[in-house]
């Protein structure tokens, strides 16, 4: 695939949305004003957030089905403690060479609503490479794959509830929600829980990203405080000299400071 010439509009794909960024931004601003006027405190995303186009058709319209967790376990994915190697938390050592990009440590704690650590939990991450490209058949946009980076990792939280990954900072990528739509750099996180019915999926962002105001997925969390909790903090104490930068991000499972989690397959 050839790269587009500078300035060329790449959103001529028939599958791409036709709205402009200005259209989407105006829609997001209007919803934000409604939220501000209502004065409510929202921690979770709008499931049918129209600026995030595909959410209007695929959002749940019925209450969640309650199922017996033990029954689900007979067929659902499962994991055992012996299956998770400590090496799986380092996304930079999965191939023969070093991946390209800003090497970094991402660490934090998994906490319940009372601030207590949640230990022994499976935390999974997946992300684009430094150029913003996923190793996935559906991602064919003209950014390079990195032969030394797959972009998946996992670990178990320690007794103090902490997790820790070594990886490279992902790049932003286009996603066709509308013309010239770009996602802010992010890492997808899954927290498994005690069984598959408790699994939660969310996204972590990086401080100061200029795409925050333009992104309908980030903005679908209409409460500004809840949005801010999705952004990691640069932490110089996490960095390693001559080796990598460091970011810190806690995940809160319940309560008023609960981390936003997604109901489906947000990209
Ligand atoms: Fe993504």
């Amino acid at each position: 695939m050839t790269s587009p010439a500078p300035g060329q509009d790449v959103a001529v794909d028939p599958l791409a949305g036709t709205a402009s960024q200005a259209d989407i931004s105006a829609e997001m601003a209007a919803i934000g004003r409604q939220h501000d006027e209502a004065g409510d405190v929202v921690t979770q995303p709008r499931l049918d957030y129209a600026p995030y186009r595909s959410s209007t058709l695929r959002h749940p319209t019925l209450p969640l089905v309650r199922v017996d967790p033990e029954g689900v376990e007979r067929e659902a994915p499962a994991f055992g403690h012996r299956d998770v190697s400590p090496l799986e938390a380092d996304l930079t050592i999965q191939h023969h060479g070093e991946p390209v990009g800003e090497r970094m440590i991402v660490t934090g704690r998994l906490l319940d609503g009372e601030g207590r650590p949640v230990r022994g939990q499976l935390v999974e991450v997946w992300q684009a490479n430094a150029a913003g490209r996923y190793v996935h058949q559906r991602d064919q946009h003209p950014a390079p794959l990195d032969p030394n980076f797959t972009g998946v990792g996992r670990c178990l939280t320690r007794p103090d509830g902490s997790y820790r990954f070594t990886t490279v900072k992902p790049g932003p990528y286009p996603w066709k929600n509308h013309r010239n739509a770009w996602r802010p750099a992010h890492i997808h996180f899954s927290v498994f829980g005690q069984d598959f019915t408790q699994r939660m999926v969310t996204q972590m962002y990086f401080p100061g990203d200029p795409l925050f105001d333009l992104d309908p997925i980030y903005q679908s969390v209409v409460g500004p405080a809840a949005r801010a909790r999705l952004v990691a903090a640069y932490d110089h104490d996490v960095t390693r000299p001559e080796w990598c930068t460091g970011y810190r991000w806690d995940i809160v499972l319940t309560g008023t400071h609960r981390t936003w989690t997604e109901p489906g397959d947000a990209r």
Side-chain angles (χ1 to χ4, degrees):
M1 180 181 292
T2 57
S3 299
Q8 178 181 344
D9 185 355
V10 297
V12 293
D13 188 316
L15 297 177
T18 55
S20 68
Q21 180 65 57
D23 296 333
I24 296 294
S25 293
E27 291 179 30
M28 293 190 296
I31 295 171
R33 283 194 296 272
Q34 291 172 0
H35 171 263
D36 292 344
E37 291 169 2
D40 55 340
V41 177
V42 179
T43 64
Q44 298 300 296
R46 295 271 177 94
L47 301 182
D48 55 346
Y49 188 72
Y52 178 7
R53 289 295 192 245
S54 58
S55 72
T56 58
L57 290 177
R58 71 181 185 194
H59 74 274
T61 57
L62 298 172
L64 294 177
V65 176
R66 302 286 178 184
V67 298
D68 171 18
E70 292 188 2
V72 170
E73 292 298 296
R74 296 195 185 102
E75 299 181 20
F79 75 100
H81 288 72
R82 294 177 185 171
D83 291 336
V84 183
S85 164
L87 296 178
E88 294 180 69
D90 190 340
L91 284 69
T92 69
I93 60 170
Q94 297 175 350
H95 300 274
H96 292 300
E98 293 274 357
V100 172
E102 174 188 331
R103 187 189 295 112
M104 63 179 185
I105 291 171
V106 177
T107 187
R109 293 204 300 162
L110 184 64
L111 303 168
D112 69 15
E114 308 299 321
R116 295 174 297 204
V118 184
R119 68 180 67 180
Q121 294 297 299
L122 178 67
V123 179
E124 299 167 294
V125 293
W126 60 98
Q127 64 168 96
N129 67 22
R133 180 84 184 264
Y134 282 103
V135 181
H136 193 285
Q137 191 170 10
R138 286 184 59 185
D139 186 354
Q140 298 293 328
H141 91 278
L145 289 169
D146 185 337
N148 293 312
F149 192 74
T150 303
V152 295
R154 61 179 187 164
C155 72
L156 296 176
T157 57
R158 298 168 182 167
D160 64 352
S162 66
Y163 70 85
R164 186 181 185 90
F165 291 101
T166 302
T167 184
V168 297
K169 188 175 181 180
Y173 60 81
W175 65 298
K176 298 181 181 176
N177 180 71
H178 52 279
R179 290 180 61 243
N180 202 17
W182 288 80
R183 296 243 43 228
H186 59 275
I187 298 178
H188 297 264
F189 274 71
S190 161
V191 181
F192 206 91
Q194 296 296 337
D195 57 59
F196 190 64
T197 55
Q198 295 178 340
R199 188 185 189 212
M200 301 201 322
V201 176
T202 186
Q203 300 180 19
M204 185 206 88
Y205 297 86
F206 294 89
D209 196 311
L211 294 168
F212 283 157
D213 289 346
L214 307 180
D215 179 42
I217 293 182
Y218 182 71
Q219 296 294 329
S220 72
V221 185
V222 295
R227 277 201 303 273
R229 287 196 292 273
L230 298 177
V231 182
Y234 172 77
D235 187 338
H236 207 63
D237 291 335
V238 176
T239 67
R240 289 177 56 190
E242 315 302 322
W243 185 247
C244 69
T245 60
Y247 294 85
R248 187 175 292 281
W249 186 60
D250 291 340
I251 302 170
V252 181
L253 296 175
T254 58
T256 55
H257 291 86
R258 179 182 165 193
T259 303
W260 163 73
T261 58
E262 19 182 273
D265 57 345
R267 303 162 40 136

